[in-house]
């Protein structure tokens, strides 16, 4: 089930990152993060990713082997609109990476020992997110289906 959870996170992040990965970033990480957050907000990428997940909730439910209500609850808990681009703390250790081809691009999603962070690499551009606190609760929900 952990793989399915990571795949769901990858689907969300690919949608969120598709726009932001190609922005020209400042060498100052705080400025870069602010620029990326502003651009993602302006383009309503999180809203579009949320809408895409909801539009495909039946397919997601079928692939995960759960009911649609569970998928809708998980999407609510992911709270994509609350995720923020941030800088990964130095002490954080990677626990795994999922490679996901997307529209001809190489995309990799890395998870960490601190589940509050996820990094998406699109064509060599890394963007790290601090996920919403409610998204952390999703892992507990997913554990029920292992």
């Amino acid at each position: 089930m952990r793989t399915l959870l990571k795949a769901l996170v990858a689907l969300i992040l690919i949608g969120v990152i598709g726009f932001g990965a190609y922005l020209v970033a400042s060498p100052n990480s705080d400025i870069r993060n602010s620029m990326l957050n502003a651009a993602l907000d302006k383009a309503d990428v999180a809203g579009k990713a949320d809408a895409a997940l909801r539009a495909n909730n039946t397919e997601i439910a079928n692939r995960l082997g759960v009911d649609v209500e569970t998928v809708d609850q998980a999407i609510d808990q992911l709270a994509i609109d609350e995720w923020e681009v941030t800088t990964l703390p130095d002490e954080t250790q990677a626990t795994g990476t999922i490679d996901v081809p997307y529209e001809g691009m190489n995309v990799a999603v890395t998870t960490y020992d601190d589940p509050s962070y996820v990094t998406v690499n699109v064509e060599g551009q890394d963007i790290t997110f601090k996920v919403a606190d409610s998204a952390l609760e999703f892992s507990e929900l997913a554990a029920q289906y292992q």
Side-chain angles (χ1 to χ4, degrees):
M1 185 60 192
R2 182 169 272 260
T3 301
L4 292 174
L5 171 63
K6 289 179 181 179
L8 182 58
V9 170
L11 172 65
I12 294 164
L13 290 176
I14 289 167
V16 171
I17 291 306
F19 176 78
Y22 292 101
L23 289 176
V24 177
S26 164
N28 179 312
S29 62
D30 289 338
I31 294 171
R32 174 185 182 268
N33 294 346
S34 294
M35 287 172 46
L36 287 170
N37 280 318
L40 293 171
D41 287 346
K42 179 76 172 168
D44 190 30
V45 175
K48 292 173 186 171
D50 185 83
L53 284 171
R54 292 182 191 285
N56 291 288
N57 62 355
T58 301
E59 181 179 342
I60 294 167
N62 290 338
R63 287 187 181 190
L64 293 176
V66 299
D67 57 49
V68 173
E69 292 77 22
T70 300
V71 172
D72 289 339
Q73 179 185 9
I75 295 168
D76 290 341
Q77 285 181 317
L78 287 171
I80 301 167
D81 60 329
E82 296 176 23
W83 293 25
E84 292 189 8
V85 176
T86 191
T87 302
L88 187 66
D90 290 336
E91 67 277 1
T92 308
Q93 299 294 314
T95 57
T97 299
I98 303 167
D99 293 314
V100 183
Y102 179 73
E103 294 187 5
M105 296 183 291
N106 297 317
V107 178
V109 177
T110 302
T111 56
Y112 299 95
D113 56 351
D114 181 343
S116 310
Y117 298 94
V118 191
T119 298
V120 177
N121 178 290
V122 180
E123 299 293 331
Q125 298 292 320
D126 282 334
I127 299 179
T128 297
F129 286 92
K130 173 96 169 88
V131 303
D133 289 340
S134 64
L136 301 178
E137 296 170 21
F138 177 73
S139 61
E140 294 172 14
L141 175 67
Q144 298 175 29
Y145 299 98
Q146 290 185 1

